[in-house]
Amino acid sequence: QVQLVESGGGLVQAGGSLRLSCAASGRTFSRYAMAWFRQPPGKERDFVAAISWSGGNTYYADSVKGRFTISRDNAKNTVTLQMNSLKPEDTAVYYCAMASGKLYYAGIRLDYWGQGTQVTVSS
């Protein structure tokens, strides 16, 4: 059974930083692309960032480019989202997801999701 468990969320002031982690188990982590999504209050879930199976390719939403960095450690089965220069509009529940293939692309099937972690950025 595949499990994705996010951690690292919390309350931070605008301009601050947070580091989210997602620990995976139950599947060969290194074979699959991973992604982060977020869902602000009352809005739909949106793509934030993704990383290919090897870490060699990364993808970002325009809204987070230059502020967020996605990385992975295949030896530890974890994917991390470093979030800097946070803004109030970054407030959301953040979810990690495991894709169905090695490379990420828009529309790829996301086989598994974590339970989410709340990030709140105060102004």
Side-chain angles (χ1 to χ4, degrees):
Q1 184 176 355
V2 177
Q3 279 195 316
L4 301 176
V5 180
E6 301 99 334
S7 61
L11 174 64
V12 64
Q13 288 189 333
S17 298
L18 281 175
R19 187 177 180 88
L20 305 184
S21 292
C22 174
S25 61
R27 201 184 203 190
T28 306
F29 178 78
S30 60
R31 293 181 181 176
Y32 301 97
M34 297 293 295
W36 286 94
F37 284 72
R38 67 186 181 186
Q39 187 167 17
K43 297 185 178 181
E44 294 185 350
R45 191 175 299 187
D46 289 327
F47 170 77
V48 175
I51 189 166
S52 64
W53 64 285
S54 65
N57 298 90
T58 56
Y59 317 86
Y60 296 94
D62 287 343
S63 59
V64 306
K65 277 181 185 176
R67 300 188 298 123
F68 290 10
T69 302
I70 189 171
S71 60
R72 67 188 295 158
D73 185 337
N74 285 343
K76 296 182 178 180
N77 289 357
T78 58
V79 59
T80 299
L81 186 68
Q82 177 66 44
M83 305 186 296
N84 298 329
S85 302
L86 283 162
K87 305 175 181 180
E89 51 263 45
D90 294 318
T91 295
V93 178
Y94 283 71
Y95 299 89
C96 71
M98 181 177 281
S100 56
K102 288 187 172 183
L103 297 177
Y104 184 85
Y105 57 87
I108 190 171
R109 189 179 75 243
L110 297 163
D111 290 336
Y112 300 99
W113 293 83
Q115 82 289 350
T117 186
Q118 177 70 47
V119 171
T120 303
V121 184
S122 63
S123 56

